[in-house]
Every structure is written in C-alpha cells, then in structure tokens.
C-alpha cells in the first residue's frame, strides 16, 4: 500500500501521491530519470530545498511553476537537485589505460595521415572527464592541436557545462591529477585555484546536449565515454541510449560506461564486452536499432 502523503514530523511540506507521480513523470519525460517509489524520500528532501529557496508553500505550487512557460531554468534546477555532478580527473583510471593502449595508437596514426578523429564525453559534468581524455591524448601526441582531432564534451546542465568550459578547479579537485599533468597542463589561478591551459581547452568543444532528446551530431567517434549518467535512467531509456550509441561509434571503436552500468537490450549484439565496463562496436556493418 502506498502512502498518500510524505510529511516527516517537523517538516513543513506535504508530498501527495499525485504530486510525486507528476514530478516523476516530468523527470522521466524531460531527462529520462527513473524515480521509483523508493526514491520518494530523496525527492522530498532534495526538492524541499528548492521550495524553500523559491519561498513556495507547497509541492502543488512547485508543480504549477514547473508547468509555466519559461520554466526550463527551474526544470534544470530540479534535475541538478535529483542527480549528482560527482566526477574527478581520471575517474576509473583503467578506462584511460585502455584508451591509451587500444584507441590512441590508431587514432594518432590516422590523424597523421590527414584523417579525422573524434572522441565524445557524454554527460561530462564539470569537465574532469574530457580534460582527462585531452591529457591522455597530449601525453601521446603533444602536437595534437595541429591535426583534425577533437573531443566533444556535452552535458544537459548549462551551469555545470559553464564550469567545465571555465576549467578552473580547487585544490581538492585537482588532487586526483598526477603531478606531471598538473605541472604541464594547469597554471595557478587566483588563490588556491588551478586553471586548465589554453592548449588543452583548444582540443575540446563543449555543448549542451540532453541525451534523451535529439542529438545534432553524427560521429563517427573512435571512443565514447558515457559514464555514471545512464544510472539515473529507467531500463527502457538505458536500452535506447545504448542503441543510439551504436551507429555513431565507428566499427571497432570503444564505449566506456559507468562501473555500475551494463549494456542491455538490442545493442548487446553490436557492443561486445572489451574490458571492465568497456564495449567494442563489432566490426561488421550490420547494426541493430
Ligand atoms: C555523476 S555525473 C558523471 C560525470 C562523468 N561522466 C563521470 O563519470 O565522472 C552525471 C552527469 O550526467 C548529467 N546528466 C543527467 N541527465 C542527463 C541527460 N538526460 N542528458 C545529458 N546529461 C545528463 C548530469 O548533469 C551530470 O553532470
């Protein structure tokens, strides 16, 4: 039996079943989020903060606000409240190890012969993932900027994307970066902050992109990193996402996903396991959609 309301003792708001269902529906339609009933306490506590910040008295008022034209900014605030932007440099380093060994040698050879090379960090958060790709690339090819090599870095959240584009990190955030990368590719900005150098930024194109909407991109990519994003999506949305990656991956290219994510659905026949949560698009031309 479901509770009709959620109002912990001492809390000021009431979350009705119908209001929780409306929030879950909006989050699913707009961002692919899967808010099962078990997430109700999380939704209550995270969105109560939004109600307080907006000086609203009820979830019903909050839903009316989300329904108004021009509510995109608050919808994004809602997404930020319900998900996390946690990331760090060289997160799950084994992926970068595989990228260095299995992707970069061919990519560099192709670029040197005048070919086009593209990598994609999908759901890049504050930028540590695409910058880690760029550091790995520059380590193997210091003159990468002279060739047709680009890293596309996208996220649905314009605020976090602005941080990524800025490339300015605090001492705590820069800690996961090896000393030699820190020395070579960052400089001390104001106070205890570090700024990513222009030579690194030059390799990256940042763009806003919602993974559950249209993608104005065609690839092909030689590697895609989409890690710790699909974890928020429902099973069907995840399966659709994996299937949409297949045609934009070059045959033989690698897809890296988060440590608790798995490829499911029709894409499983096109994406073969190639390591710890890494998958290789099969070389055959046939693609299951
Ligand atoms: C936990 S971070 C992962 C960052 C990085 N990929 C990593 O693994 O370190 C999740 C990111 O996914 C983004 N995100 C959530 N839903 C999204 C969607 N529908 N389309 C694109 N990005 C989304 C969030 O804004 C957030 O920045």
């Amino acid at each position: 039996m479901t509770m009709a309301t959620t109002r912990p003792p001492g809390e000021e708001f009431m979350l009705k079943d119908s209001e929780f269902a409306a929030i879950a529906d909006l989050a699913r339609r707009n961002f692919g989020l899967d808010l099962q009933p078990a997430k109700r306490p999380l939704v209550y506590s995270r969105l109560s903060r939004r109600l307080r910040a907006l000086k609203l008295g009820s979830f019903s008022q909050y839903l009316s606000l989300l329904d108004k034209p021009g509510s995109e900014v608050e919808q994004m605030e809602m997404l930020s409240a319900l998900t996390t932007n946690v990331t760090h440099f060289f997160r799950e380093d084994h992926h970068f190890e595989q990228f260095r060994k299995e992707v970069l040698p061919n990519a560099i050879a192709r670029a040197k012969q005048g070919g086009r090379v593209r990598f994609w960090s999908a759901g890049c958060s504050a930028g540590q993932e695409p910058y880690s790709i760029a550091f790995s690339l520059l380590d193997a090819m210091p003159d990468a900027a002279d060739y047709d090599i680009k890293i596309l870095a996208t996220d649905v959240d314009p605020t976090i994307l602005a941080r990524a584009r800025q490339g300015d990190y605090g001492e705590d955030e820069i800690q996961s970066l090896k000393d030699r990368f820190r020395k070579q590719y960052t400089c001390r900005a104001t106070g205890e902050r570090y700024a990513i150098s222009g030579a690194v930024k030059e390799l990256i194109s940042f763009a806003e992109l919602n993974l559950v909407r249209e993608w104005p991109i065609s690839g092909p990519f030689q590697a895609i990193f989409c890690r710790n994003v699909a974890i928020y999506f429902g099973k069907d949305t995840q399966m659709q996402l994996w299937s949409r990656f297949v045609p934009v991956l070059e045959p033989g290219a690698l897809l890296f996903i988060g440590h608790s994510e798995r490829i499911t659905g029709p894409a499983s026949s096109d994406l073969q396991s190639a390591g710890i949560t890494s998958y290789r698009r099969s070389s055959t031309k046939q693609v299951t959609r």
Side-chain angles (χ1 to χ4, degrees):
M1 204 174 80
T2 53
M3 288 192 311
T5 61
T6 296
R7 190 179 193 176
E11 290 288 354
E12 66 265 51
F13 307 114
M14 186 175 283
L15 177 61
K16 294 183 187 150
D17 272 355
S18 56
E19 291 163 347
F20 174 73
I23 289 167
D25 186 52
L26 189 82
R28 183 185 49 75
R29 278 187 288 110
N30 288 355
F31 305 112
L33 301 195
D34 182 30
L35 299 177
Q36 292 292 321
K39 293 261 172 76
R40 190 175 172 137
L42 177 137
V43 169
Y44 177 85
S45 74
R46 300 274 180 89
L47 294 188
S48 289
R49 286 183 221 151
R50 291 305 309 147
L51 266 65
R52 282 182 211 114
L54 294 162
K55 302 201 187 326
L56 297 178
S58 68
F59 276 97
S60 144
Q61 286 175 357
Y62 187 57
L63 278 161
S64 305
L65 189 148
L66 289 171
D67 203 31
K68 284 189 184 142
S71 66
E72 292 80 9
V73 172
E74 186 49 39
Q75 290 189 16
M76 210 53 74
E77 291 287 350
M78 181 184 85
L79 173 76
S80 292
L82 296 174
T83 59
T84 136
N85 292 124
V86 170
T87 185
H88 53 83
F89 290 105
F90 291 99
R91 183 180 196 178
E92 294 172 56
D93 194 29
H94 54 93
H95 283 163
F96 293 94
E97 190 62 32
Q98 189 175 12
F99 176 69
R100 278 189 287 268
K101 284 189 183 148
E102 297 179 24
V103 178
L104 283 180
N106 283 342
I108 291 171
R110 176 193 296 197
K112 287 194 168 160
Q113 285 161 17
R116 179 181 184 272
V117 173
R118 294 292 181 270
F119 306 125
W120 183 12
S121 165
C124 67
S125 190
Q128 287 90 329
E129 186 175 86
Y131 287 127
S132 301
I133 299 172
F135 297 146
S136 307
L137 171 62
L138 284 169
D139 207 30
M141 190 188 199
D143 57 350
D146 297 339
Y147 296 89
D148 187 7
I149 307 186
K150 278 276 175 211
I151 299 158
L152 172 66
T154 64
D155 201 284
V156 68
D157 180 346
T159 308
I160 203 74
L161 198 64
R163 273 213 62 204
R165 203 176 268 123
Q166 181 80 20
D168 176 90
Y169 300 99
E171 188 86 48
D172 51 330
E173 294 170 302
I174 215 85
Q175 257 168 17
S176 55
L177 197 55
K178 284 184 191 137
D179 265 359
R180 67 188 180 90
F181 285 134
R182 183 194 311 209
K183 284 189 187 123
Q184 221 171 335
Y185 300 122
T186 73
C187 58
R188 207 66 182 257
T190 47
E192 294 301 301
R193 301 201 66 82
Y194 293 80
I196 302 288
S197 75
V200 181
K201 287 183 174 176
E202 223 179 289
L203 295 168
I204 308 176
S205 304
F206 291 97
E208 212 176 301
L209 185 140
N210 186 343
L211 285 167
V212 301
R213 292 277 160 86
E214 292 274 297
W215 299 353
I217 47 172
S218 53
F221 294 97
Q222 282 70 48
I224 297 177
F225 290 71
C226 184
R227 308 181 310 157
N228 309 300
V229 184
I231 191 169
Y232 298 108
F233 298 168
K235 293 273 170 276
D236 288 351
T237 311
Q238 286 187 4
M239 284 196 280
Q240 282 160 15
L241 180 66
W242 309 139
S243 289
R244 292 178 76 191
F245 279 138
V246 174
V248 295
L249 276 164
E250 186 172 86
L254 285 177
L255 169 67
F256 299 100
I257 65 174
H259 56 94
S260 55
E261 297 159 347
R262 295 291 173 274
I263 299 295
T264 49
S268 313
S269 54
D270 297 303
L271 298 169
Q272 313 300 326
S273 174
I276 306 166
T277 53
S278 66
Y279 296 82
R280 190 180 303 282
R281 188 189 151 181
S282 51
S283 299
T284 53
K285 291 276 177 270
Q286 204 177 4
V287 172
T288 313
R289 283 170 213 254

